[in-house]
Amino acid sequence: MNANGTAVSHPTPLSLSSLDGCRTERVCPPSIVNYKNTSQKGRMEEDIHDKMLSTIEGLSSAKPWCGNTDDFRGLCGFLLFFVEMGLEKEYRTISIPKLRSYFVCASVVLLCMFLVQIFVMPRTAKLGISFGIVAIIMGLILCICFADKCWRSCSERWPPVRYLCTFSKKVKTMPTVRLPLAAVAIGSLLIIAVFNLPTTQQTGNYTASSTDESATLLAENSVTVYSYYTYCCLLGFIACSVFLRMSFELKLILLSGGVVGYFIIFNTWQLLNVNNTTQRFIMKNPRIMTNLYLALFYITLVLLSKQIDYYCRLDCLQKNKFKKEHEEFETMENVNRLLLENVLPAHVAAHFIGDKLNEDWYHQSYDCVCVMFASVPDFKVFYTECDVNKEGLECLRLLNEIIADFDELLLKPKFSGVEKIKTIGSTYMAASGLCVTPGQENNLDQERQHAQIGIMVEFALGLMTKLDGINRHSFNNFRLRVGINHGPVIAGVIGARKPQYDIWGNTVNVASRMETTGELGKIQVTEETCKILESLGYACECRGLINVKGKGELRTYFVCTDTAKSQVL
């Protein structure tokens, strides 16, 4: 109360007046909005975390040694294949970046075999020739693998080298190239491991005609030779296992062929028929212990290769599912962006769905925005609910057609700066100048600010043209009543579940009054807006002073539509 005892009304904080001044809408404090957004974000993160855990558990539930699952199917309970044939083909043709290092490791194994046999076994021509041939084979394979790096500088001058470099790039990407090379390299190592094994004829001086001392020496030498060739065979198995991401079926065939061949060779080797009573290398019976070593190594490497194949397939499956989920996520993100941009302006939608998620309540102040209200007053009389128009459904269908045609104008590049705010019944509300970054309005020249007002007038004329076209097709006589004003406004988004973008301020209220107090088929503007339009070349007709609710008497003007239409053309 004042000193006279009269009650004085104070403005309510955090309240926004509606266009008609009769309704007050309270806005939640920013702290409450932030709390709601934070809680919603926390629930979303929990849902994503639970989904990730369930996906990981589903991928890890498959056992590598057993039969069918949702993603794998087993052949004979041992060989794994993807249920989806497209994924199986993708896995078979996947690139192996470290394939060259596999062949380098195989070359190191070849060197180890050579050192074992050259220092322990007799140095014969057969030994040198056999290892020379295998070394040439491995050298050619390495030359093919590293041609694109070693011969790149010469590829421009020599066409054959260019073809070799192209072929080298296909080694790690094409299974039809890398599998034969791997089979040749591993097969050569498995063969060279026992190729130089001495035969009975080569050591014929130590046969049954020899003395007991010579027989004992022969047995000891045979056990020594036997053990070192066993080590070479194990090195051959290791050479097969270094090709980690190579086809499991190829490694299984090579290992199986190698172990069967070794069993046959070592169990039919005549030099071990001599009775040996000594114990060397913890072996009482070299043949049995060699068979045991080969079998254990074979089983171990097969199981290891099987395990590697399983986890490589699992990795491929996870990448494939991640790729699909990422594509679905991008699709959903684009859909959400489109849906949000249908509700909010593009620059406002970017505030919520950008890379940096902003949870603050969106609000911005603008110094110069042109606001337009365009209504179809005759629609209220046109709307009736009866059986003929299906209880008003046909009337609403026509209104939807009108508003949809109005929205089509926004797609024109000419009106890219115009933003539709909302529709209130048959009233269409739009504004221009909201795309400018807040705080940079002063950086724009005055002509560009004034041009926004001219664009809004042209947009209003476009609405009138659209309505005339609808009248011709629907045999109606609707006319548009437009009010335009410019000035400072406040823009913001209200609501969390169903957000709504709106603008407030005295500029908006005056623009609404320009429409409600206007006349059909005319565009009414304030005196300040009229001066700017006249500077842009528009002709305006003074209407005089009119009584505006809440503003008193204002001098208003009508934009001459003929002049404005010439501006549009």
Side-chain angles (χ1 to χ4, degrees):
M1 291 187 178
N2 57 13
N4 299 328
T6 307
V8 180
S9 60
H10 296 278
T12 305
L14 294 173
S15 62
L16 300 172
S17 300
S18 63
L19 299 179
D20 55 4
C22 300
R23 178 176 57 86
T24 300
E25 180 180 357
R26 290 186 175 274
V27 181
C28 295
S31 59
I32 299 178
V33 175
N34 291 338
Y35 172 75
K36 291 181 178 179
N37 292 335
T38 303
S39 61
Q40 292 173 4
K41 182 181 179 182
R43 288 194 297 269
M44 292 177 62
E45 290 179 349
E46 291 179 358
D47 295 340
I48 294 174
H49 180 70
D50 294 339
K51 185 177 181 180
M52 289 176 62
L53 289 179
S54 62
T55 302
I56 294 174
E57 290 177 358
L59 291 175
S60 303
S61 60
K63 297 180 180 180
W65 313 117
C66 61
N68 301 335
T69 62
D70 294 337
D71 299 306
F72 299 104
R73 58 184 176 88
L75 181 61
C76 301
F78 191 69
L79 301 178
L80 284 181
F81 295 93
F82 287 112
V83 175
E84 185 180 349
M85 295 307 298
L87 186 58
E88 179 67 24
K89 183 179 180 181
E90 179 182 351
Y91 174 74
R92 296 287 182 179
T93 57
I94 194 172
S95 176
I96 304 179
K98 301 296 182 180
L99 182 65
R100 295 167 178 170
S101 61
Y102 298 165
F103 290 102
V104 174
C105 293
S107 302
V108 174
V109 172
L110 174 63
L111 178 62
C112 294
M113 287 184 182
F114 176 73
L115 293 177
V116 169
Q117 298 190 22
I118 200 66
F119 289 122
V120 178
M121 311 306 168
R123 301 179 183 179
T124 62
K126 178 183 176 181
L127 179 66
I129 294 174
S130 60
F131 272 97
I133 294 174
V134 177
I136 293 174
I137 294 174
M138 295 300 299
L140 291 175
I141 294 176
L142 291 177
C143 182
I144 294 174
C145 292
F146 291 93
D148 60 330
K149 292 186 176 181
C150 299
W151 303 93
R152 185 182 302 172
S153 59
C154 302
S155 61
E156 296 181 357
R157 293 179 294 177
W158 299 339
V161 177
R162 188 185 307 120
Y163 297 142
L164 183 61
C165 293
T166 304
F167 186 76
S168 175
K169 295 178 181 179
K170 297 180 180 179
V171 171
K172 61 182 180 181
T173 57
M174 294 183 62
T176 55
V177 176
R178 66 188 181 215
L179 290 180
L181 292 179
V184 171
I186 297 172
S188 301
L189 294 177
L190 293 176
I191 293 174
I192 199 63
V194 294
F195 185 78
N196 297 295
L197 188 66
T199 61
T200 313
Q201 288 75 13
Q202 291 174 318
T203 55
N205 296 329
Y206 299 98
T207 56
S209 62
S210 302
T211 62
D212 294 339
E213 182 179 355
S214 299
T216 302
L217 181 61
L218 174 61
E220 292 179 357
N221 291 336
S222 300
V223 171
T224 303
V225 171
Y226 202 84
S227 60
Y228 281 109
Y229 272 100
T230 302
Y231 301 153
C232 290
C233 294
L234 299 182
L235 285 174
F237 285 167
I238 293 174
C240 184
S241 66
V242 298
F243 289 80
L244 297 178
R245 300 195 62 176
M246 196 60 68
S247 172
F248 171 70
E249 293 79 8
L250 176 63
K251 290 191 286 185
L252 180 62
I253 292 174
L254 293 174
L255 286 173
S256 300
V259 74
V260 171
Y262 294 156
F263 281 154
I264 295 173
I265 292 173
F266 285 121
N267 285 282
T268 58
W269 197 41
Q270 298 298 324
L271 289 183
L272 284 182
N273 292 334
V274 181
N275 293 328
N276 178 27
T277 58
T278 61
Q279 296 184 17
R280 294 176 62 90
F281 302 99
I282 322 176
M283 294 191 301
K284 186 173 183 180
N285 191 327
R287 178 172 286 123
I288 295 177
M289 296 306 296
T290 298
N291 292 336
L292 180 61
Y293 291 158
L294 292 175
L296 289 177
F297 245 77
Y298 170 76
I299 294 173
T300 301
L301 293 181
V302 167
L303 294 180
L304 179 62
S305 300
K306 181 68 176 67
Q307 189 79 0
I308 293 173
D309 178 67
Y310 167 73
Y311 284 111
C312 288
R313 288 180 177 275
L314 190 61
D315 179 67
C316 179
L317 180 63
Q318 290 175 341
K319 289 181 179 179
N320 184 266
K321 289 192 174 183
F322 173 77
K323 180 181 178 181
K324 290 183 178 180
E325 290 182 357
H326 183 68
E327 292 175 354
E328 293 177 357
F329 173 76
E330 288 184 345
T331 303
M332 187 61 66
E333 185 180 16
N334 293 331
V335 171
N336 290 339
R337 180 180 288 107
L338 292 175
L339 292 176
L340 193 58
E341 288 179 357
N342 285 334
V343 179
L344 305 175
H347 67 282
V348 180
H351 176 85
F352 294 99
I353 60 177
D355 295 334
K356 296 182 179 179
L357 183 61
N358 199 328
E359 298 180 353
D360 295 335
W361 174 53
Y362 177 83
H363 60 285
Q364 295 292 349
S365 298
Y366 296 89
D367 294 334
C368 183
V369 173
C370 184
V371 184
M372 180 207 72
F373 283 85
S375 67
V376 186
D378 296 336
F379 184 80
K380 296 180 180 179
V381 181
F382 173 78
Y383 179 80
T384 56
E385 295 182 359
C386 59
D387 296 336
V388 177
N389 57 20
K390 299 180 181 179
E391 300 297 331
L393 181 61
E394 296 299 328
C395 298
L396 295 179
R397 191 188 305 277
L398 179 60
L399 178 62
N400 177 69
E401 182 180 350
I402 294 173
I403 300 300
D405 286 353
F406 288 174
D407 291 341
E408 285 183 0
L409 286 176
L410 298 174
L411 300 178
K412 293 185 177 182
K414 181 180 182 179
F415 302 126
S416 59
V418 178
E419 290 289 346
K420 174 186 175 182
I421 305 301
K422 59 184 175 181
T423 56
I424 310 170
S426 59
T427 302
Y428 195 92
M429 178 182 177
S432 63
L434 296 173
C435 298
V436 181
T437 304
Q440 296 184 358
E441 295 92 339
N442 297 329
N443 298 335
L444 297 177
D445 51 44
Q446 191 174 14
E447 291 183 359
R448 293 186 60 183
Q449 291 183 359
H450 292 175
Q452 297 175 359
I453 303 174
I455 291 174
M456 185 58 72
V457 172
E458 295 177 5
F459 181 74
L461 290 172
L463 299 182
M464 292 180 176
T465 303
K466 285 285 186 181
L467 188 60
D468 290 339
I470 295 175
N471 288 334
R472 287 193 296 270
H473 291 88
S474 61
F475 304 101
N476 287 300
N477 191 24
F478 294 132
R479 301 179 69 186
L480 208 61
R481 189 175 62 193
V482 182
I484 296 178
N485 187 32
H486 78 282
V489 299
I490 297 176
V493 177
I494 298 300
R497 292 290 183 182
K498 296 182 179 180
Q500 182 179 0
Y501 180 78
D502 208 344
I503 55 177
W504 300 270
N506 182 66
T507 302
V508 179
N509 293 335
V510 172
S512 176
R513 301 296 176 244
M514 291 296 99
E515 181 270 320
T516 55
T517 60
E519 296 181 2
L520 293 177
K522 295 184 179 181
I523 303 174
Q524 184 172 231
V525 298
T526 59
E527 186 174 5
E528 294 79 7
T529 305
C530 172
K531 293 178 180 179
I532 295 176
L533 290 175
E534 288 179 344
S535 65
L536 295 176
Y538 293 90
C540 298
E541 176 186 354
C542 179
R543 182 185 183 186
L545 297 175
I546 61 171
N547 187 18
V548 178
K549 181 180 179 181
K551 303 299 177 183
E553 291 186 348
L554 294 179
R555 187 178 301 276
T556 62
Y557 294 80
F558 288 129
V559 179
C560 296
T561 55
D562 294 337
T563 306
K565 287 182 180 179
S566 64
Q567 293 287 337
V568 175
L569 296 176

